[in-house]
Amino acid sequence: MRYSKIFAKTNKSAPHDADSPNARLLAQAGFINQSMSGVYSYLPLGLRVLNKIKQIVREEMDALGANEILMPALHSKNLYDTTERWDSIDVLFKLKGSGKKEYALGSTHEEVVTPLVKEYVKSYKDLPVAVYQIQDKFRDEPRAKSGLLRGREFSMKDLYSFHLTEEDFNKFYEKSKESYLNVFSRCGLDAVVVEASGGVFSKFSHEFQVKTEYGEDTIFNCKCGFAQNKEIAEVKEDDDCPKCGTGKIQTSKSIEVGNIFPLKNRFTKAFGFKVQGQDGKQTDILMGCYGIGPSRVMGSVVEVHHDDKGIVWPKAIAPFNVHLISIKNKDEAIQEKIMGICQSLHDELNQLGVDVLWDDRENISAGQKFADADLIGNPLRIVVSEKTLADNSVEWKERHESESKLVSTENAVNKIKMFIDAPDNLTSH
Ligand code: ATP
Ligand code: MG
């Protein structure tokens, strides 16, 4: 893809109200554009990242055995009358339709998924069932802030599982933790599983928290993996860790990127969703819900992986694998050669499934192109100039390294492909 063809370019200045690194860098680099507080458009580069994150989530949910569906975002008030949540979900956006009809915009989907699954599950033999969707959710958050971390419209993957027995539920719940950790590590996030409040439904839920300064949560944690949300913590800073006994409890600011909840029969009971068990008795169905915010994940990745020049994307979710730069030359013959090499690198890499963003702009200085490459943050920068041409090579610079080197033009495609396929070695900043 030629950068000249992307309509939304980088900006010199940050939005005046950017209150966190992700809000500032994603806007400046041309990934997102704020429409109003907590509501964003995804521009071409930003949409590529969001879609890559969603795809990782999708692969892990499919591997967990869940079916992807898509439920409506517009909900009838009747559904919430059934569960008595019309007035208790404080962030619910409520709308009035024609006549006296009332609706809500989906902030979560228990009210839709429970009667939906009920229609298809006729006997215990049809269980367990797990369905998920990836959709925008709407929440009238009292304080939308920190760019993609807390929006009023945001992307969520929500999964719901239905089980006949506690044992079957627990098995699935534990397996879902593994899937969640896979999602976050594939996205370049080091997530901690944290015990958190179960709300009105059950004693505990589990949150997946990423330690970052702009996070709104506080967790007490130990190096051994023990972690509790401050809201429910039974420990305090400097206590001996109750799990390993040797470590000391530390306090960390963090952001919740995922949350899994046992819902017991809270919703199935409200909708009268029961089946006849093997023993012939009517049994309440047990339910769990499991959320991940792909847009919040995107914001969190930027919080964790950036430096003073811009974003440092993990390979798996970078908008492009390679940022190719052609340096304009006044000599027509040299310029033609530079563009020719770039075109073939671009095409050959594309054929190997390596995405290339080619900064082919002719009226932009080399310095500006380098600054844009750092701001945008693709993992590998390749430069073709008169200088590299003279050496039959291209200049190679990894985004997270400060040194560049020359690689022969002949070997460039193979080396790039190998680099892109190799695992990341990014560390958090
Ligand atoms: P929080 O405590 O941060 O308000 P929550 O517990 O209300 O979040 P859940 O209902 O568990 O959130 O939603 C599942 C996931 O959706 C969260 O783990 C998070 O990744 C994402 N999410 C929730 N609210 C927002 C929001 N306002 N903006 C962006 N992502 C969000
Ligand atoms: Mg939560």
Side-chain angles (χ1 to χ4, degrees), residues 12 95 140-141 192 249 284 309 319 362 419 427:
K12 281 228 161 56
L95 319 176
D140 196 3
E141 299 279 2
V192 186
I249 296 296
D284 270 347
K309 298 197 180 82
E362 297 207 342
F419 169 78
T427 46

Side-chain angles (χ1 to χ4, degrees), residues 38 91 107-108 110 137-139 141 143-145 147-158 180 184 206-209 216-217 229 231 255-261 289-297 300:
V91 292
S107 67
T108 176
E110 284 82 4
K137 294 277 188 274
F138 300 87
R139 290 188 183 178
E141 299 279 2
R143 288 198 332 131
K145 58 179 202 168
L148 297 184
L149 298 188
R150 183 169 299 284
R152 295 204 168 96
E153 177 178 350
F154 59 93
S155 168
M156 198 201 284
K157 181 286 302 174
D158 42 330
Y180 268 48
F184 300 125
H206 290 88
E207 293 173 344
F208 297 78
Q209 296 270 1
E216 291 177 45
D217 287 15
N229 195 308
E231 286 172 354
I255 179 83
E256 176 204 308
V257 284
N259 198 182
I260 60 175
F261 255 100
C289 72
Y290 315 76
I292 291 182
S295 49
R296 185 180 280 182
V297 166
S300 305

Side-chain angles (χ1 to χ4, degrees), residues 346-389:
H346 174 274
D347 296 350
E348 285 174 42
L349 286 166
N350 272 356
Q351 276 189 355
L352 295 174
V354 177
D355 310 324
V356 179
L357 181 62
W358 173 13
D359 193 346
D360 60 330
R361 293 173 298 171
E362 297 207 342
N363 53 349
I364 301 286
S365 71
Q368 182 61 47
K369 286 190 178 186
F370 294 153
D372 282 350
D374 281 343
L375 182 58
I376 291 170
N378 289 313
L380 178 62
R381 188 186 83 188
I382 297 288
V383 179
V384 183
S385 66
E386 181 181 8
K387 203 177 90 197
T388 68
L389 207 61

Side-chain angles (χ1 to χ4, degrees), residues 236-252:
K236 57 182 189 317
E237 186 161 275
D238 279 339
D239 278 1
D240 291 330
C241 172
K243 189 174 166 202
C244 67
T246 51
K248 288 266 182 232
I249 296 296
Q250 314 170 338
T251 312
S252 313

Side-chain angles (χ1 to χ4, degrees), residues 10-25:
T10 58
N11 284 307
K12 281 228 161 56
S13 52
H16 68 278
D17 57 350
D19 59 354
S20 53
N22 86 88
R24 176 170 60 81
L25 292 169

Side-chain angles (χ1 to χ4, degrees), residues 177 180-182 184-185 189-196 205-212 217-229 243 250-260 428:
K177 282 187 193 163
Y180 268 48
L181 290 173
N182 289 345
F184 300 125
S185 72
L189 291 175
D190 204 357
V192 186
V193 185
V194 177
E195 286 174 6
S205 71
H206 290 88
E207 293 173 344
F208 297 78
Q209 296 270 1
V210 171
K211 294 182 202 173
T212 160
D217 287 15
T218 303
I219 57 170
F220 290 128
N221 61 120
C222 171
K223 285 199 195 83
C224 75
F226 170 85
Q228 286 185 333
N229 195 308
K243 189 174 166 202
Q250 314 170 338
T251 312
S252 313
K253 294 298 292 171
S254 62
I255 179 83
E256 176 204 308
V257 284
N259 198 182
I260 60 175
S428 304

Side-chain angles (χ1 to χ4, degrees), residues 155-173:
S155 168
M156 198 201 284
K157 181 286 302 174
D158 42 330
L159 163 74
Y160 305 88
S161 73
F162 299 84
H163 308 266
L164 193 65
T165 65
E166 192 85 38
E167 190 192 351
D168 190 52
F169 168 77
N170 288 336
K171 223 167 61 193
F172 186 86
Y173 189 81

Side-chain angles (χ1 to χ4, degrees), residues 10-72:
T10 58
N11 284 307
K12 281 228 161 56
S13 52
H16 68 278
D17 57 350
D19 59 354
S20 53
N22 86 88
R24 176 170 60 81
L25 292 169
L26 288 170
Q28 260 194 282
F31 285 67
I32 60 173
N33 179 277
Q34 193 183 64
S35 172
M36 58 179 170
S37 178
V39 179
Y40 289 89
S41 295
Y42 288 81
L43 302 170
L45 296 182
L47 184 59
R48 290 178 72 95
V49 175
L50 186 66
N51 282 339
K52 286 187 180 183
I53 295 171
K54 288 179 177 177
Q55 187 54 29
I56 289 174
V57 171
R58 186 172 277 126
E59 286 168 18
E60 294 296 337
M61 294 304 107
D62 290 347
L64 184 59
N67 290 176
E68 185 171 4
I69 60 173
L70 183 60
M71 290 179 275

